[in-house]
Amino acid sequence: MTLQEWTQRVNAELGMADELAKDDIDRLLAVARDAAHSVARPAAPLTTYLLGVAVGRGADPVETAELLQRLALAQKDESPDSSTR
C-alpha cells in the first residue's frame, strides 16, 4: 500500500472529503523528518499532530509547516552537541 492509498483510506474512514495531494504528504513528511532529526524521534508525530490541529483551526498549511520546520532546524543548531552531528 502506498502512502497516497493509505491517506485515501484514512480519509474515507474519518469521513473527510478532502484528499491529501502528494505535495501535502511530502510537506508533512518533511516536517516529521526535521522534528525527528533535530529535536527527538518522538517529536515527529507530535509536531505533525500539532500542525494538523493548527490547520484545523484555520492556520495556513504551507506557512505553518515552514514555521515548524524552521523551529525544528533552529533547535538542532542550538543543541550543545550540534558540532558533532
Side-chain angles (χ1 to χ4, degrees):
M1 174 175 287
T2 68
L3 288 176
Q4 187 74 35
E5 292 167 338
W6 172 247
T7 58
Q8 289 170 347
R9 179 177 283 180
V10 170
N11 277 350
E13 289 296 321
L14 295 176
M16 298 184 341
D18 296 337
E19 290 188 21
L20 286 177
K22 183 177 181 327
D23 289 345
D24 297 322
I25 293 170
D26 291 344
R27 185 175 305 108
L28 283 168
L29 293 175
V31 170
R33 177 200 62 223
D34 290 343
H37 291 276
S38 300
V39 181
R41 289 182 80 181
L46 292 172
T47 304
T48 55
Y49 170 79
L50 292 171
L51 171 61
V53 169
V55 170
R57 293 181 178 172
D60 179 86
V62 174
E63 290 176 8
T64 307
E66 290 171 353
L67 168 69
L68 294 175
Q69 285 184 274
R70 285 193 306 273
L71 287 173
L73 294 173
Q75 177 64 32
K76 181 178 181 179
D77 292 341
E78 293 174 7
S79 175
D81 66 344
S82 64
S83 62
T84 61
R85 291 183 185 180

